[in-house]
Structure formats: structure tokens, C-alpha cells
Amino acid sequence: MIELRTPTQIEQMKPAGRFVADVLLALQEKADVGVNLLELDELARQMIKDRGAESCYIDYHPSFGASPFGKVLCTSVNDAVLHGLPHDYELQDGDLLSVDFAASVDGWVSDSALSVVVGTPRQEDLDLIETTTRALEAGVAAARPGNRIGDISAAIASVAHAKGLKINTQFGGHGVGRTMHGDPHVPNDGRAGRGFKLQPGLVIAIEPWFLHTTDEIFTDPDGWTLRSADKSRGAHMEHTVAVTDDGPLVLTQR
Ligand code: MG
């Protein structure tokens, strides 16, 4: 079921968006060569505690999960692109790190992700992050009343296709509200003019993610981390966005 929020409720969702943005900024600042993924998780955990927020991840246990997630953020490195389970790993020079974080503040959830390179970047990784960022911007720009979900999907896909990237549609954006995942699904590829008609009050996470040279992924033995089939690297950019009469409102703006 697709739920619409009142302007008052969207106002109430802003602190969660602000908090999630602040955590991602802190993680981006902290991520560096030699920093352990578990330290990043600990930083986010401390910020959640200090803010009196609630993690959306720690007890997350979907049907495909081997056990509850147990961490408060996803850290996906290099050929890992989504759902990376933080583990005992020190970031190396040139690693491409994607961090995905969702939390609830005052009963409302926000969800956001970003990719960064630590240390010396490879140009192709910077290009992939740039393309993913532009795809997110294009998707957000299409999130306005009168458009349809397919317009967001098509806008994201056109940016990727222009760069020759393949798109996996197994995982994409989703409704956000009292919980992390709701309707509608927001695929990263689709046909303009199709799907649910966007209305003021719709709040969705828009989250393009792309791999350099494949659209195929597999699940790591840890039961969570999704890796590219050909070891090529991935990038992931996500914002939680409210559709309003005035256009898209990015709740997780950094
Ligand atoms: Mg997310």
C-alpha cells in the first residue's frame, strides 16, 4: 500500500533526514586508509545513541537474511556494492567504499547512501561515482507531482546508458515512512510515463547503484554482502525525497 504524508508529517520527517545526512558526513570524514569498517559502524552506533535515534538495520531480518543484520550501517567495498556487512577490514589505499545508512528519529525513517574513494583514487572509480551521482540527481528532479514512477526510473537509466553501464533492477528505491521499506518500488530502469502517478506527500528513497562492467551480482558467504559477478567495482548514491507541490524535497541533503 502506498501511503501519502501530510505537509505536517513531512515537516516531522525532517529531523530524521538531517540526522542521517549528518551521520553520512561524519562517516565520509572518518573513512580513510587504515580505518576499520567496524570503527565506522561504531561511530554510527555512537551517533545513534547520542541522538536518541533508532537503527533500522540492527534487527533487520528479511527472508533472504541468514540472521539479524547486527550492525547499524552497510559498508560495501570495491566489488561489493550493496548490503555490505561491516567486518574486520582496514580500508586500503584506493578502496571504493559505499556506505548506506538508515535510522528512525521521532518515529520517522530516513535512508541515504554515498560512495567515496579512500586514499589515491582510480579515475574510473571517480567517473563511476560521478555518473551515479548524476543519475540520482536526474531521478530526484523527476520526483514531482504529475510524473510517474517510470519517469524517475527512466531518468536514472538514461544517465547510466549514456555511459554504457548495465543496470540491475533486482534492488532499487522504495517508499520510506514509519519503516525503512514500503511501497512503491522505484526501479533504476523503466519506461517514462508508466507506473504510480506521483502525488504530493509521497516519500521515497531513490537509489541508483551501478557496476563498471556487469549487471550481475551474487551474495557473499557472509549471507548479506552483494558483490559483482565479474569483480568490477560498484557505486551507490541514495537520498530520501518527499514529493511536494513545490517539487522534490531532499530530506537527506548533505
Ligand atoms: Mg539505503
Side-chain angles (χ1 to χ4, degrees):
M1 190 182 80
I2 294 173
E3 294 181 81
L4 299 176
R5 313 298 171 185
T6 65
T8 303
Q9 288 176 319
I10 289 175
E11 228 19 71
Q12 291 169 350
M13 294 179 85
K14 286 182 177 176
R18 182 70 256 155
F19 173 68
V20 167
D22 286 346
V23 172
L24 283 179
L25 281 171
L27 291 167
Q28 187 173 17
E29 179 80 9
K30 170 120 180 138
D32 206 348
V33 176
V35 171
N36 197 298
L37 299 179
L38 296 175
E39 293 177 69
L40 297 178
D41 185 68
E42 186 52 42
L43 171 61
R45 205 176 284 250
Q46 189 60 48
M47 289 183 77
I48 287 170
K49 192 177 169 198
D50 292 347
R51 181 63 176 81
E54 276 182 47
S55 169
C56 295
Y57 288 177
I58 196 154
D59 297 323
Y60 186 57
H61 192 181
S63 54
F64 60 81
S67 56
F69 192 70
K71 304 293 182 192
V72 302
L73 77 161
C74 294
T75 53
S76 304
V77 179
N78 297 337
D79 64 309
V81 65
L82 294 176
H83 303 172
L85 183 66
H87 58 286
D88 183 10
Y89 174 79
E90 286 184 4
L91 290 167
Q92 310 288 307
D93 189 42
D95 276 351
L96 199 176
L97 169 70
S98 298
V99 179
D100 193 346
F101 180 74
S104 175
V105 175
D106 305 332
W108 293 104
V109 170
S110 250
D111 188 359
S112 187
L114 60 77
S115 294
V116 292
V117 178
V118 300
T120 317
R122 302 180 186 182
Q123 188 58 45
E124 61 177 23
D125 289 343
L126 297 180
D127 292 346
L128 187 67
I129 292 171
E130 166 74 14
T131 301
T132 313
T133 303
R134 285 199 295 106
L136 174 57
E137 289 167 355
V140 169
R144 51 184 65 254
N147 273 357
R148 292 177 181 271
I149 291 292
D151 292 299
I152 297 174
S153 304
I156 291 169
S158 70
V159 173
H161 287 148
K163 291 291 181 182
L165 296 172
K166 294 178 182 173
I167 300 170
N168 175 305
T169 52
Q170 282 175 273
F171 297 92
H174 48 87
V176 177
R178 294 292 188 181
T179 58
M180 179 167 59
H181 289 140
D183 291 330
H185 179 53
V186 186
N188 288 327
D189 196 1
R191 291 174 65 180
R194 296 294 184 91
F196 180 75
K197 194 169 189 180
L198 306 181
Q199 298 163 49
L202 182 70
V203 181
I204 49 176
I206 300 175
E207 50 176 323
W209 60 277
F210 307 125
L211 301 160
H212 276 301
T213 52
T214 186
D215 59 354
E216 290 181 39
I217 53 175
F218 70 95
T219 307
D220 183 276
D222 71 13
W224 289 98
T225 306
L226 298 176
R227 297 184 182 279
S228 70
D230 67 355
K231 295 285 177 193
S232 68
R233 293 176 166 202
H236 179 206
M237 289 288 185
E238 175 180 22
H239 275 311
T240 296
V241 181
V243 177
T244 78
D245 283 319
D246 300 325
L249 173 66
V250 178
L251 294 170
T252 47
Q253 193 69 56
R254 292 185 290 278

